[in-house]
Amino acid sequence: MVASTIGLKRVVIEPVTRVEGHGKVTILLDEKRQVRQTRLHIVEFRGFERFIQGRPFWEVPVLVQRLCGICPVSHHLAAAKAMDRIVGGEKLTPTAEKMRRLMHYGQFFQSHALHFFHLVSPDLLFGFDADPAIRNVIGVALKYPELAVQGVMMRKYGQEVIKRTAGKKIHGTGAIPGGINKNLSIQERDELLKDLEQMVIWSRAALKLCKDYTVEHLEKLAPFGSFDSNHLSIIRQDGALDIYNGGLRAITADGKKIFDHVDNQKYLEYIAEEVRPWSYMKFPFIKPLGPETGWYRVGPLARINTADFIDTPEAEAARKEFMALTKGKPNNISMAYHWARLIELLHAIEKIKELLHDKDLQGTDLVVKGSRRDEAVGILEAPRGTLFHHYKVDKNDQVVMANLIVSTTNNNEPMNRAIQKVAQDDLSGHELTEGLLNHIEVAIRAYDPCLSCATHALGQMPLVVEVVDVDGNIVDRKVRGVCE
Amino acid sequence: MPDNGRILVLGYGNPGRRDDGLGPALAAALEELFLPGVTVESDYQLTVEDAADVAGHDVVVFADADAVGAEPFSFRRIEAGNGSTFSTHSVSPEGVLGLARDLFGARTEGYLLGVRGYEFNEFGESLSPAARENLARAVEFLAGTLRAHSFREVAAQFRAPAPLAATSQGEL
């Protein structure tokens, strides 16, 4: 962090390509073109909490899906978990919990597949510095059509799982306070079983592709945007990776536990958020450590690092191989997010398989209720990381307070660190080529941030790159594409 | 009903973002008309798997909110393209057509219906009054086209009708 910006040159990348919504990167260079400061600005839509206030609590699991077109299921389920507690129905029936888990694994599967095949693979297959005109999903489709088809069909399969469990894409209503509104019919189950084995095969292949690439290019990837950090996720009682339910666990960069199995309802005793004047997005940190050292990473890398084991055989074998790279210690390589993400992809399809063969999905006991509460927290692991939903409800059943900490916000500081590391390593003293600018984007993309709070209507969001000199003049400007 | 083949109408946008919800609102209105041979879908945004659905149809009409286009709506033929945008979490209509062509060998005819909206920068589930008017005109137009005309002819001759004054206060 520099105290003064006088005499520095500003480089602006806006918005970040292949990251949803608006994002802007500012790189402050000094007169010798050395990187002095970097900042990721995310234009976050505010006011969603106010949008929810005054609405009946049972509407919230549907309403919160409006927050994000990329991961509506994650918000749907996090809100539903909170509302379970509001109605005293947090101990779900087996059918309800398994239906929700199936929905959630479907979401993970489609999200991770989309990210790898259509966001990351262009960088890996064509190289970070390749021409953006070919380094995109269409480029993959033309040169590696089989891979591109796999990505589309895996994404489609995950969406089918969601459709069978949550209902329509845009009005998903599967989870309701205290349970679920439908089970999975035999016909629906059989439909999903048809393509299951193909999905397992493709998941294995994708994991191998990513693992082999990472190992082969480790010398280049290991330092790329990397830094030591704490890691945070929820964790099952026995230490297994669990994306739906569990207490909070945080570990240091070398694996020491900061806290473990923290009751979700007490998250505010352990997590706080710092406001910085230059950013719309807050900076969460582990309270006992403070903002300077208490920031942490979430998402696939953090989850693989915090888990003691994975409860599906192929993903567990892959986890062991992954952890062996760092001799059992947490992996702090930013680019290892992709490998970790694909371990989770395989885990998700293994869990989908396990669930589809579970007769509880055809059960008819769908909803439970108990003693009414007026405050509740729902936490789960979204594909991009830990997601917090916190609500207060008055005696008229209206929401009077809502606080959300989304996955991308949890990774705010790490993304800024990753940009700074790449900028310092790759940009100092160099000309600002497309390839070098893309290095910044590659680092951000590792975290798979979701900035879809922005609308996407026609005519918005060109990619603009601007170089601004010490006097504030734009000395270079690039437009990489306009959404029409 | 003319033979337009298998038709897909795909309305997309976020109904929680005021006029960004014009696409799904159009899809919902059209769905209620139960037009034979027409499949109606809606989603928050276009994504890669839409290419597989598009490939299974002869004609696709993408319906989206338009922040800057003609009032009350625009309608044009679009060609398969690379769809290069700021993001591939979502894909442009041209990009979806391109993927349908390159991955599935489809020659689906694509059209883009852009319904002019005005309010995008806040949360809210209602459309602005002017957007509601535009939507009503767009639904009327699209239903009429589906019932009586070929898309190709209509797109070639399309002239945006004059917008009406925004007087309606009713919810769609």
Side-chain angles (χ1 to χ4, degrees):
Chain A
M1 195 73 71
V2 292
S4 169
T5 57
I6 295 170
L8 302 182
K9 180 177 284 186
R10 197 156 60 102
V11 177
V12 182
I13 304 172
E14 181 185 22
V16 177
T17 59
R18 278 188 279 143
V19 173
E20 191 58 34
H22 280 285
K24 183 174 79 173
V25 174
T26 305
I27 306 166
L28 217 56
L29 304 178
D30 61 19
E31 289 170 344
K32 295 177 182 172
R33 299 182 68 81
Q34 298 299 304
V35 175
R36 294 289 301 276
Q37 183 188 75
T38 60
R39 283 171 171 173
L40 171 63
H41 307 265
I42 293 174
V43 181
E44 193 178 42
F45 254 95
R46 290 182 292 182
F48 192 76
E49 284 88 348
R50 283 201 306 280
F51 172 55
I52 297 172
Q53 283 169 18
R55 305 295 286 259
F57 72 81
W58 56 82
E59 286 185 0
V60 173
V62 175
L63 280 177
V64 291
Q65 295 173 77
R66 306 284 183 257
L67 188 62
C68 176
I70 294 294
C71 43
V73 170
S74 302
H75 287 293
H76 178 56
L77 289 176
K81 284 184 73 178
M83 296 315 163
D84 292 342
R85 289 188 64 82
I86 293 292
V87 300
E90 66 273 17
K91 184 152 179 53
L92 299 176
T93 67
T95 301
E97 178 165 340
K98 287 173 184 176
M99 281 292 287
R100 287 192 189 181
R101 282 182 177 274
L102 181 59
M103 189 193 305
H104 200 29
Y105 287 118
Q107 159 90 343
F108 259 66
F109 189 72
Q110 60 89 356
S111 178
H112 283 0
L114 177 72
H115 185 263
F116 179 70
F117 284 99
H118 298 283
L119 295 167
V120 175
S121 73
D123 294 331
L124 306 190
L125 296 169
F126 298 113
F128 297 174
D129 300 324
D131 182 355
I134 60 159
R135 198 188 60 236
N136 56 45
V137 62
I138 301 295
V140 175
L142 292 173
K143 193 163 182 188
Y144 305 94
E146 282 185 22
L147 208 60
V149 169
Q150 285 177 24
V152 169
M153 300 316 287
M154 290 168 81
R155 163 89 180 177
K156 190 169 169 58
Y157 184 83
Q159 293 287 58
E160 283 300 313
V161 173
I162 293 168
K163 192 175 170 184
R164 311 283 179 185
T165 49
K168 286 191 169 185
K169 288 175 186 172
I170 216 158
H171 296 293
T173 55
I176 56 177
I180 199 96
N181 69 1
K182 73 181 281 292
N183 65 8
L184 191 76
S185 70
I186 295 287
Q187 186 185 355
E188 288 172 321
R189 180 200 67 186
D190 291 346
E191 284 292 320
L192 293 175
L193 282 171
K194 274 182 195 167
D195 295 324
L196 180 67
E197 283 309 316
Q198 186 61 70
M199 297 301 138
V200 175
I201 291 166
W202 284 345
S203 299
R204 284 182 196 130
L207 171 58
K208 184 175 186 314
L209 176 70
C210 187
K211 180 195 74 178
D212 290 350
Y213 177 88
T214 308
V215 172
E216 187 182 335
H217 298 86
L218 194 59
E219 196 175 335
K220 178 184 176 185
L221 297 181
F224 188 89
S226 293
F227 49 86
D228 283 355
S229 77
N230 304 309
H231 300 270
L232 179 134
S233 76
I234 59 169
I235 200 84
R236 204 167 75 184
Q237 191 60 39
D238 60 1
L241 173 79
D242 193 331
I243 59 173
Y244 178 73
N245 217 5
L248 288 164
R249 171 181 284 182
I251 62 171
T252 62
D254 59 358
K256 292 188 184 71
K257 288 192 177 69
I258 302 166
F259 52 72
D260 204 7
H261 299 302
V262 165
D263 180 351
N264 288 188
Q265 307 309 307
K266 297 178 178 172
Y267 81 102
L268 281 176
E269 294 175 22
Y270 296 85
I271 304 293
E273 292 178 280
E274 183 190 17
V275 176
R276 297 182 192 169
W278 56 268
S279 176
Y280 287 109
M281 203 158 72
K282 293 176 182 175
F283 289 79
F285 60 94
I286 294 165
K287 240 179 182 175
L289 299 182
E292 284 297 314
T293 60
W295 53 274
Y296 52 84
R297 279 191 272 210
V298 299
L301 183 69
R303 287 190 288 259
I304 299 297
N305 280 332
T306 56
D308 297 332
F309 69 100
I310 299 176
D311 68 349
T312 55
E314 293 193 50
E316 171 60 2
R319 186 197 69 86
K320 285 178 175 168
E321 200 172 0
F322 179 87
M323 296 307 290
L325 192 74
T326 49
K327 299 182 169 53
K329 292 286 186 184
N331 186 320
N332 287 288
I333 300 171
S334 283
M335 293 303 285
Y337 260 96
H338 300 314
W339 184 354
R341 192 171 287 114
L342 290 190
I343 294 172
E344 290 190 336
L345 177 83
L346 185 58
H347 173 60
I349 199 67
E350 285 185 289
K351 293 300 278 188
I352 289 170
K353 185 176 182 178
E354 183 184 303
L355 285 163
L356 288 178
H357 289 98
D358 190 327
K359 292 190 184 310
D360 278 342
L361 286 179
Q362 282 77 52
T364 54
D365 192 4
L366 305 182
V367 182
V368 289
K369 288 190 177 165
S371 300
R372 172 80 152 70
R373 296 185 180 92
D374 58 10
E375 182 172 1
V377 176
I379 302 178
L380 51 67
E381 290 295 326
R384 291 157 189 82
T386 316
L387 173 63
F388 300 71
H389 277 221
H390 181 187
Y391 302 98
K392 289 181 183 173
V393 177
D394 69 9
K395 62 183 179 185
N396 297 316
D397 292 344
Q398 291 181 329
V399 174
V400 293
M401 188 284 288
N403 184 45
L404 277 60
I405 307 176
V406 303
S407 316
T408 296
T409 302
N410 282 307
N411 270 334
N412 195 1
E413 178 68 23
M415 287 190 293
N416 274 278
R417 298 261 172 170
I419 293 164
Q420 175 126 0
K421 178 70 166 47
V422 170
Q424 284 172 337
D425 289 350
D426 291 356
L427 292 184
S428 292
H430 292 67
E431 287 302 311
L432 287 166
T433 63
E434 290 276 355
L436 283 172
L437 291 175
N438 192 52
H439 282 203
I440 301 291
E441 297 169 334
V442 168
I444 298 170
R445 214 171 285 143
Y447 293 81
D448 190 17
C450 177
L451 318 178
S452 74
C453 304
T455 55
H456 72 282
L458 297 169
Q460 296 182 331
M461 296 186 190
L463 167 65
V464 180
V465 181
E466 289 181 346
V467 180
V468 183
D469 69 13
V470 289
D471 299 319
N473 301 314
I474 296 172
V475 294
D476 195 7
R477 187 172 189 273
K478 291 175 182 168
V479 178
R480 194 173 278 181
V482 180
C483 183
E484 296 183 312
Chain B
M1 181 79 191
D3 183 15
N4 277 320
R6 298 160 298 168
I7 301 167
L8 174 65
V9 177
L10 220 168
Y12 57 102
N14 186 344
R17 287 285 166 69
R18 302 294 313 273
D19 293 351
D20 199 46
L22 275 164
L26 181 133
L30 207 65
E31 206 164 15
E32 289 181 5
L33 300 178
F34 299 102
L35 297 172
V38 179
T39 304
V40 182
E41 294 282 354
S42 58
D43 205 344
Y44 288 97
Q45 52 213 332
L46 299 178
T47 52
V48 292
E49 78 272 17
D50 290 320
D53 290 335
V54 166
H57 291 82
D58 300 299
V59 174
V60 58
V61 180
F62 298 99
D64 192 8
D66 195 335
V68 294
E71 297 173 308
F73 59 87
S74 61
F75 185 75
R76 63 184 170 93
R77 176 88 187 264
I78 56 171
E79 301 295 336
N82 67 18
S84 178
T85 66
F86 62 93
S87 162
T88 47
H89 272 151
S90 64
V91 185
S92 69
E94 293 86 351
V96 172
L97 281 177
L99 285 170
R101 176 196 63 195
D102 296 339
L103 299 182
F104 302 104
R107 291 289 179 267
T108 310
E109 270 186 31
Y111 298 88
L112 180 61
L113 177 63
V115 187
R116 180 63 193 271
Y118 309 92
E119 302 291 337
F120 294 91
N121 295 324
E122 57 183 287
F123 285 105
E125 292 191 294
S126 62
L127 299 172
S128 67
R132 278 201 299 271
E133 289 290 355
N134 295 346
L135 174 63
R137 303 289 300 279
V139 171
E140 185 182 19
F141 161 79
L142 188 57
T145 303
L146 287 162
R147 286 186 175 117
H149 304 288
S150 83
F151 286 92
R152 199 171 293 190
E153 287 169 12
V154 169
Q157 299 167 4
F158 181 77
R159 298 285 183 276
L164 295 176
T167 53
S168 170
Q169 297 299 315
E171 294 289 331
L172 279 163

